[in-house]
Amino acid sequence: ILWVGWRLRIAWKNFLFSLVRRRGRIGEDIAINLLKKNGYEIVQSQLPLTGSCIVDGKPMDFNVRVDYLVERNGLKYLAEVKTGDAADPKNIGTRRQLFEYAALSRSEQVLLVDATSKKVMLIGFNHKQKID
């Protein structure tokens, strides 16, 4: 009985994961069309960025992957695709992710593509704040 319960739990988790992946793929397709409709050209997808930080005095490198690098009117932007509640710039996880992308790319603006409500938002950050 325990084995059957364990297998059902795994099957349920796999099912939920497949739904999330499917939603993500649909969101990516919507985002591509939405970006093109708004005049953006897709330059690259799954753009890798490398960063580093210092942990206890030792350097640590890390990698992130941005959904798209796009271009419009000669300007390039990083674009991140989100669906549902994650597509809200008020979402702390999304905002932190976008801030990390902006910092790593040394840009002040990134695009947040809301595939659910079909909006492209230009998100700006001010990196010049200083704590006294």
Side-chain angles (χ1 to χ4, degrees):
I1 292 174
L2 288 175
W3 182 83
V4 169
W6 177 72
R7 294 300 297 167
L8 285 172
R9 181 176 179 269
I10 289 174
W12 178 250
K13 284 184 138 189
N14 287 339
F15 173 72
L16 291 177
F17 183 69
S18 70
L19 288 179
V20 169
R21 287 181 54 107
R22 182 174 180 267
R23 179 175 163 186
R25 278 193 304 273
I26 292 170
E28 297 279 333
D29 292 342
I30 290 170
I32 289 171
N33 292 330
L34 189 57
L35 285 164
K36 288 179 180 177
K37 180 179 173 184
N38 282 279
Y40 294 96
E41 177 189 340
I42 308 290
V43 175
Q44 185 176 344
S45 63
Q46 297 300 309
L47 175 73
L49 294 178
T50 301
S52 65
C53 58
I54 307 298
V55 179
D56 293 331
K58 297 176 186 167
M60 181 188 82
D61 294 334
F62 60 90
N63 298 306
V64 297
R65 215 170 264 288
V66 181
D67 289 332
Y68 298 103
L69 174 64
V70 299
E71 185 173 358
R72 182 172 78 172
N73 299 329
L75 298 174
K76 292 184 179 176
Y77 301 92
L78 298 177
E80 182 65 18
V81 179
K82 297 291 185 188
T83 58
D85 292 339
D88 188 342
K90 292 178 184 175
N91 181 301
I92 191 167
T94 298
R95 199 173 56 251
R96 286 179 177 176
Q97 183 181 14
L98 296 175
F99 186 81
E100 181 179 47
Y101 292 171
L104 288 174
S105 65
R106 293 184 176 94
S107 63
E108 293 182 5
Q109 297 178 323
V110 294
L111 298 175
L112 175 58
V113 182
D114 181 343
T116 305
S117 64
K118 297 185 172 97
K119 292 190 313 189
V120 177
M121 296 170 270
L122 183 62
I123 309 294
F125 292 101
N126 179 358
H127 299 294
K128 298 174 178 103
Q129 293 180 357
K130 183 177 180 179
I131 299 174
D132 293 325

